[in-house]
Amino acid sequence: MGSKLPAMKGRLFTIGLISSWYFSNIGVLLLNKYLLSNYGFKYPIFLTMCHMTACALLSYIGIVWLKLVPMQTIRSRSQLMKIAALSVIFSTSVVGGNISLRFLPVSFNQAVGATTPFFTALFAYLVTFKREAWITYATLVPVVAGVVIASGGEPSFHLYGFIMCIGATAARALKSVLQGILLSSEGEKLNSMNLLLYMAPIAVLVLLPAALIMEPNVMSICVALTRQDKFMAFLLIVNSAMAYFVNLTNFLVTKHTSALTLQVLGNAKGAVAVVVSILLFRNPVSFIGMAGYTLTVIGVILYGESKRRLK
């Protein structure tokens, strides 16, 4: 009985972590959609800046005060420049994703986002000339075909939103490829929480002038809106805090399970997000659109399986 208790506690802890990861991932996605589309808060760059500000503050508290993970220091100017480059690409991907949510339903946004493995394989080849096995490339065919089918069958298709979503997905994939190259040496490797600690403040410095130029008077408009509706300030704070917890729970789930488990859970998370968003926002869906999304998810699962077997 004594040996079973710690094992059960361990399982419950893992289940709790995974549940928290699901809740924060799907929660921030749905809140972004609600704020940018349904609530009428039309400032995706400023919203992303709020996310990055929360990530910077909460990362500092989590690492320096709470000591969730050991502090890792930047060792050279070169390493700092690499982190800055990753931060700009990361910010671009988040802004693009948030802009797309203004124009696209969450279900279609998730379908396009599922093509990340395609862009990862593409950038890995273009940047590092790394070739995958033919079977791995073959699994990317349904990934892309599914999105093409879903696009044709999407009742709420919006070209600008679609372009932004594709751009965000490509930027996310490029960031993961470059991160593997730029921070590959033992002296420069950072765990994801320390990387976020350094990337987030740089992202804020990049996004602040972008928001002021591209979303003029956003600060005064936000102040006026929060005076009119205190609930909006609450939504912004909760939404920004959840953006940090997405990264924290992502790190903890990977640490306590494995990268493969995270990949499998991520595929299921996309499907859960689609169902929840359709129930909440009542956006119209077609049989062709759902069939396309299903084909994409099947392709992503096959891609992950082929990568695992060839390791």
Side-chain angles (χ1 to χ4, degrees):
M1 181 71 183
S3 61
K4 284 183 179 179
L5 195 60
M8 192 169 79
K9 281 184 178 177
R11 278 196 295 272
L12 288 173
F13 177 73
T14 304
I15 290 167
L17 270 183
I18 292 168
S19 301
S20 301
W21 182 69
Y22 262 61
F23 178 78
S24 57
N25 264 272
I26 296 171
V28 79
L29 182 68
L30 297 178
L31 267 177
N32 284 349
K33 176 64 180 174
Y34 180 70
L35 279 165
L36 294 166
S37 188
N38 295 57
Y39 203 77
F41 184 79
K42 299 174 182 178
Y43 308 103
I45 299 174
F46 180 78
L47 181 64
T48 307
M49 192 188 79
C50 291
H51 289 180
M52 293 299 107
T53 302
C55 285
L57 292 172
L58 293 173
S59 290
Y60 184 83
I61 292 167
I63 294 172
V64 177
W65 289 2
L66 302 179
K67 302 192 184 300
L68 295 175
V69 293
M71 178 81 170
Q72 293 174 296
T73 55
I74 295 176
R75 299 187 179 185
S76 65
R77 182 187 175 88
S78 168
Q79 188 185 14
L80 177 61
M81 295 309 292
K82 290 171 182 177
I83 292 169
L86 290 173
S87 180
V88 171
I89 296 167
F90 178 59
S91 304
T92 303
S93 73
V94 179
V95 169
N98 285 340
I99 291 173
S100 75
L101 283 171
R102 272 195 65 198
F103 304 100
L104 298 176
V106 172
S107 52
F108 189 54
N109 174 280
Q110 288 294 285
V112 177
T115 61
T116 303
F118 167 77
F119 288 104
T120 304
L122 178 65
F123 287 127
Y125 177 73
L126 292 175
V127 177
T128 67
F129 303 105
K130 180 188 174 186
R131 289 177 181 270
E132 300 286 356
W134 70 268
I135 190 73
T136 303
Y137 286 123
T139 61
L140 293 173
V141 174
V143 171
V144 177
V147 169
V148 172
I149 293 167
S151 302
E154 175 53 53
S156 309
F157 182 82
H158 190 285
L159 182 59
Y160 178 66
F162 177 70
I163 291 168
M164 286 294 104
C165 200
I166 285 283
T169 306
R172 193 161 54 244
L174 179 61
K175 184 246 175 188
S176 67
V177 171
L178 291 180
Q179 186 176 325
I181 300 164
L182 297 178
L183 303 176
S184 58
S185 68
E186 282 304 317
E188 292 188 337
K189 273 186 182 174
L190 296 172
N191 63 49
S192 60
M193 295 316 298
N194 274 275
L195 183 60
L196 184 66
L197 172 68
Y198 295 118
M199 282 200 326
I202 297 169
V204 173
L205 293 176
V206 172
L207 291 167
L208 179 60
L212 293 174
I213 294 166
M214 299 174 74
E215 297 171 345
N217 303 319
V218 64
M219 297 292 190
S220 56
I221 291 167
C222 282
V223 171
L225 285 172
T226 50
R227 281 177 179 167
Q228 290 172 19
D229 186 357
K230 295 289 190 291
F231 187 59
M232 199 200 81
F234 173 75
L235 280 178
L236 272 177
I237 292 166
V238 170
N239 184 237
S240 300
M242 284 180 83
Y244 169 73
F245 285 108
V246 167
N247 292 280
L248 177 62
T249 54
N250 189 82
F251 171 77
L252 292 173
V253 170
T254 307
K255 184 180 176 183
H256 289 277
T257 57
S258 67
L260 178 64
T261 302
L262 191 76
Q263 188 181 50
V264 173
L265 291 169
N267 295 334
K269 180 214 62 169
V272 172
V274 167
V275 173
V276 173
S277 71
I278 291 168
L279 292 173
L280 279 178
F281 298 116
R282 309 284 182 186
N283 58 282
V285 290
S286 65
F287 173 77
I288 294 172
M290 289 311 295
Y293 177 66
T294 304
L295 183 61
T296 295
V297 172
I298 290 169
V300 171
I301 292 167
L302 292 173
Y303 173 82
E305 184 63 19
S306 71
K307 292 276 285 182
R308 186 183 68 82
R309 290 192 176 189
L310 290 166
K311 274 186 179 178

